[in-house]
Amino acid sequence: MQTVPAVLDEFAIGFTVQRAWGSLVVMYLFLGGTGAGLFLLGIALGTAPGALIGLLLVGIGGLALLADLGRPRNFWRAFTHPRTSWISRGTYFITLLLLFGVLTLFPRLLPADQVPWLAGGVLDSVIRWLALVAAFLVMVYTGFVLSPSPAIPFWNAALLPLIFLAYSVMTGLGILLALDPVLGPLSLPLQALEAYQVALIGACLLLVLGHLVIMRGSTTAARASTRLLIRGPLALEFVGGVVALGLILPLVITLGALLGRGATFSTFLGVAAVLKLAGDYLFRSVLLRAGLYEPLL
Amino acid sequence: MRYGMAIDLGQCIGCYACVIACKAEHGTPPGVFWAKVMEKEVGRYPAASRTFLPVLCNHCAEPLCEEVCPSGATYKRKDGLVLINQEACIGCRACMEACPYGARTFWNGEGTYYPEGATPFELRGNGFISGTVQKCTFCVERLDRGLEPACVETCPTSCRVTDPSVSYLR
Ligand code: SF4
């Protein structure tokens, strides 16, 4: 027997949770951000295989986004309105990142006689800079996609693009640190990178908590969203998952690695990277699920 | 000229005639409502009462749904109507996130009104493309014929007005 979908939310009064964007969008936000961060740092720190993994993640994320569309075959139309729409701008950013990202990796991964331009040449540095700028834009623009409308006040926040940027760079660096024994030497000493990582985790923690504090002083729906995260049904995932396991524990581990260097720490950094990745995914997921519309009645 | 509608909330008796008139006029798919009436209990017995809030697309002067739409499917006409070109819609649902009034619904092509399957009326499709977002059109096709929107015509308390001679619509 077929059932009629009852869209009860349609007539609901009080707070309603947004249901327009679900797990595929979370997947994209996570893969796109982390992938772009990994690509950017991979290129900056001289590890082409690391950058390649980042690019693959962005590609998979892009497919998730495509699969989420109601009419995926119409997707090319998303290129037509970059003047006002952040989704349209983002479509350009992802495309440019994938295009120039692949071109950046050619001379770094293929034998020199198979690529008509050299790594470090003028053409290469133009391509590389375009790819790096696109990677940066992919990390931040999703924050603007969520924030343009006051309809969902918890997203309507200037901090969001910054949080996404901090998370993307942090998880990207986390993966590079964990894969360091496999990927080979990075162009900066490990100790310095671990110090950066500690700073990045601290920044994420401050930004996420700062966002909650600002939202608590904001409109009724924004306050209700923070309650969902702190005391409501999402509290276990947010407080336990995003904050404790996803940020504080990796912070302690990375600080430990920084202060007491030893061979055992690469395993711990691996654990920290996995925790951060899970925390990043969970953060983007609870952020979407805590998106409450300002009530009409 | 810019179309507009005023609703006298004090006159609304919550009869849902507008909701049904809209459904009958457009044959919208199951689960898709362009006109809605929200209802809330206020006060305590014996002084309790119900208040009603008819909701439809407000055809905003500066529509955020149009701004965020990446495909240009959502557009605003010179006469003020905000419409969706279903052919161009990619179904990204950004407009639903942007609309503060919950006026938009995504239709994925599923569901029928009766458990036995789609009626001939539903099978006709009524011009709806699955995978797109739907919303009130201000009965643009009725306006073109010189008629008022179906919800306005049907409202038994006449609390909806589009007549431009009404002072507060000018
Ligand atoms: S769902 Fe359709 S109308 Fe809405 S923003 Fe996306 S493309 Fe535009």
Side-chain angles (χ1 to χ4, degrees), chain B residues 65 68-71 73-74 84 88-95 104 133:
Chain B
C65 54
V68 301
C69 177
S71 68
T74 293
I84 304 174
C89 176
I90 62 174
C92 67
R93 310 185 292 289
C95 49
R104 292 172 166 251
V133 164

Side-chain angles (χ1 to χ4, degrees), chain B residues 4 32 58 72 76 82 91 94 115 120 130 136 140 150 157-158 164 169:
Chain B
V32 177
N58 284 352
K76 189 168 177 69
V82 176
S130 73
C136 156
V140 59
T157 65
S158 301
L169 273 184

Side-chain angles (χ1 to χ4, degrees), chain A residues 178 245 249-250 253 265-277:
Chain A
L245 290 178
L249 189 56
I253 294 176
F265 273 107
S266 60
T267 332
F268 282 123
L269 285 177
V271 174
V274 172
L275 285 173
K276 274 175 287 187
L277 283 173

Side-chain angles (χ1 to χ4, degrees), chain A residues 4 18 20-21 68 84-85 149, chain B residues 67-68 86 92-93 97-98 112:
Chain A
V4 179
Q18 71 81 22
W21 287 341
D68 186 64
T84 60
S85 159
S149 164
Chain B
E67 188 182 311
V68 301
Q86 289 189 73
C92 67
R93 310 185 292 289
E97 305 287 13
T112 53

